[in-house]
Amino acid sequence: MSHFKQLESFVSVAMLGSLSAAARAEGVAPAMIGRRMDALESRLGIKLLTRSTRRIALTSEGEILFEEAQRILRELKETESRISQGSAEASGHLRISAPAGFGRRHVAPLLPEFVALHPQVTVTLDLSDRLVDLIEERYDCAIRIGDLADSQNIGTRLADNRRVIVATPAYLERHGRPQTPDDLLRHNCLSFDGSGNQSKGWLLRHKGRVSSIRVKGNLACSDGSSLHEWTLAGCGLSWRSLWEVHDDIRDGRLVTVLDEYAAPPNGIFALTPERRHLPLRVKSFIDLLKERYSGFTHWGEKPRT
């Protein structure tokens, strides 16, 4: 039997003056109210009520409990009300993890707008290429790019991640424009690879299927921003996400090549520990990302060159 239910029934009996009146108010049989009162007195080891044929009165201990019980139940109701209101208005602290490059360009700039829309929310953004454990490290949301291998988290697809091969006009003028994926073997290809062996290759639709093209070059790096700068400096070709190089293509600093061989896009996802009972602050943040990343975006389609 619930201790809170006993307490609620006790307050009802004390206010209404009889078991039958309390039973009618709660929609139960008077015998049920009587059992709750007996259980409450037995649990506390004191007499709370004195019963006559006409009315139930409180003992001195019952008077003290009545005052305290009213306060406890009132505070509980107020707490439930605040929680319920919080479900209608985003509130609380939001912890987000995002890849450094993508987060710097496409997550961080949205957060001032987000907190302006939801003034009861505070945000911490962790920019790191490390794959965080959402549950163990208590993150509300993580932005991930690529195929999802972590099945214990729930992924919401925000946008396609399209990838293109780019170089500066000056580099292509000096070395020529590759016409097929095989031509990449004759070019200096800058790779995102911390080990230096560039073994993963670039994914292209080659000879009727998506293949990993083993490229070669004199520069490799585990930092996407540095690789971007090398590409802009004319050091070679690089395979980059459109969200990173869109502005450079639009403004003519970079040119795409081998567009007809582009592999299908992978995804940009928002990961959460669970789908059920998602706090409104998390849902509102994901909804904002989906809205801003939909339609024509920095990575949604390749700008014309």
Side-chain angles (χ1 to χ4, degrees):
M1 187 180 296
S2 168
H3 291 180
F4 272 108
K5 183 60 68 176
Q6 293 172 7
L7 213 55
E8 286 176 334
S9 294
F10 169 73
V11 169
S12 182
V13 169
M15 293 179 65
L16 298 175
S18 72
L19 299 182
S20 58
R24 286 193 298 271
E26 296 192 31
V28 298
M32 175 64 74
I33 300 297
R35 285 196 294 271
R36 289 174 184 170
M37 296 304 94
D38 290 342
L40 179 60
E41 289 180 330
S42 176
R43 181 163 59 86
L44 297 179
I46 56 174
K47 193 72 173 174
L48 300 172
L49 304 168
T50 58
R51 311 181 193 188
S52 68
T53 56
R54 299 183 58 186
R55 185 172 179 80
I56 290 180
L58 297 175
T59 65
S60 57
E61 291 84 358
E63 291 281 1
I64 295 171
L65 180 61
F66 178 54
E67 292 183 10
E68 289 299 310
Q70 284 183 301
R71 178 186 60 79
I72 291 169
L73 293 174
R74 183 175 60 252
E75 290 178 354
L76 177 61
K77 185 176 180 180
E78 291 172 354
T79 300
E80 289 177 341
S81 177
R82 287 197 300 272
I83 295 296
S84 177
Q85 291 173 4
S87 67
E89 180 180 353
S91 61
H93 189 63
L94 178 64
R95 293 194 71 214
I96 308 164
S97 171
F102 182 84
R104 193 177 300 116
R105 289 170 177 262
H106 301 294
V107 179
L110 297 178
L111 292 181
E113 176 186 357
F114 178 74
V115 295
L117 289 171
H118 305 285
Q120 301 303 313
V121 178
T122 58
V123 180
T124 297
L125 174 62
D126 175 23
L127 295 179
S128 172
D129 294 324
R130 179 177 65 88
L131 298 182
V132 301
D133 186 316
L134 274 72
I135 297 174
E136 288 292 328
E137 301 179 56
R138 303 183 68 179
Y139 281 94
D140 297 295
C141 180
I143 309 302
R144 298 269 174 88
I145 300 175
D147 298 325
L148 293 183
D150 190 357
S151 59
Q152 74 179 97
N153 295 315
I154 306 300
T156 299
R157 194 180 186 99
L158 302 173
D160 287 340
N161 179 45
R162 302 182 185 276
R163 291 158 295 179
V164 292
I165 298 175
V166 292
T168 61
Y171 174 87
L172 296 176
E173 185 176 345
R174 291 195 309 270
H175 299 282
R177 190 184 188 102
Q179 301 299 317
T180 71
D182 291 335
D183 292 341
L184 293 175
L185 301 178
R186 296 187 288 274
H187 281 268
N188 193 45
C189 295
L190 314 173
S191 290
F192 184 80
D193 190 342
S195 63
N197 59 21
Q198 307 185 46
S199 59
K200 293 183 180 179
W202 297 355
L203 294 181
L204 294 173
R205 200 186 298 272
H206 184 41
K207 296 180 180 178
R209 61 189 181 90
V210 176
S211 302
S212 178
I213 307 299
R214 294 284 296 273
V215 296
K216 296 184 295 184
N218 60 9
L219 289 171
C221 187
S222 61
D223 176 62
S225 296
S226 296
L227 197 60
H228 186 201
E229 293 300 322
W230 291 343
T231 309
L232 288 172
C235 297
L237 297 164
S238 65
W239 186 49
R240 308 305 300 147
S241 292
L242 195 53
W243 58 259
E244 181 181 14
V245 296
H246 173 275
D247 292 350
D248 300 308
I249 298 169
R250 181 197 60 202
D251 297 337
R253 292 185 292 271
L254 295 175
V255 177
T256 64
V257 299
L258 300 177
D259 294 338
E260 63 273 30
Y261 295 96
N266 54 21
I268 299 173
F269 296 89
L271 266 59
T272 55
E274 60 179 25
R275 192 187 304 276
R276 294 181 59 199
H277 308 304
L278 201 63
L280 186 58
R281 62 183 178 272
V282 181
K283 184 179 182 300
S284 300
F285 173 66
I286 293 175
D287 286 346
L288 177 64
L289 296 185
K290 288 168 66 176
E291 175 192 344
R292 294 310 167 85
Y293 296 170
S294 65
F296 179 83
T297 66
H298 289 95
W299 55 88
E301 64 184 66
K302 186 180 73 65
R304 292 177 182 154
T305 57

